[in-house]
């Protein structure tokens, strides 16, 4: 997962299934600027998920498809 951080803050990454149930939770310490984090999603079943990323006051969501 690639993302930009505005500050040296904790970043939370949550993965939700299609029913809205949180199936994974990650917390990382990142630096200002571009960041990359490897997420272990090997335990996820095939299907569609929503990845929610929050860093400070910034938040975004993306769709994840596991094949």
């Amino acid at each position: 997962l690639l993302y930009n951080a505005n500050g040296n803050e904790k970043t939370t990454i949550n993965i939700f299934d299609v029913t809205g149930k949180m199936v994974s939770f990650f917390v990382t310490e990142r630096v200002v600027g571009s960041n990359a984090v490897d997420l272990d999603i090997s335990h996820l079943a095939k299907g569609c998920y929503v990845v929610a990323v929050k860093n400070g006051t910034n938040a975004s969501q993306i769709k994840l498809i596991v094949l």
Side-chain angles (χ1 to χ4, degrees), residues 12-27 43-44 49-52:
T12 59
I13 303 165
N14 299 315
I15 301 178
F16 299 92
D17 66 14
V18 292
T19 67
K21 177 183 175 188
M22 185 173 22
V23 294
S24 289
F25 176 80
F26 304 91
V27 177
H43 65 284
L44 297 179
Y49 298 87
V50 174
V51 179

Side-chain angles (χ1 to χ4, degrees), residues 42-57:
S42 61
H43 65 284
L44 297 179
K46 292 180 182 180
C48 294
Y49 298 87
V50 174
V51 179
V53 180
K54 184 175 182 192
N55 178 271
T57 59

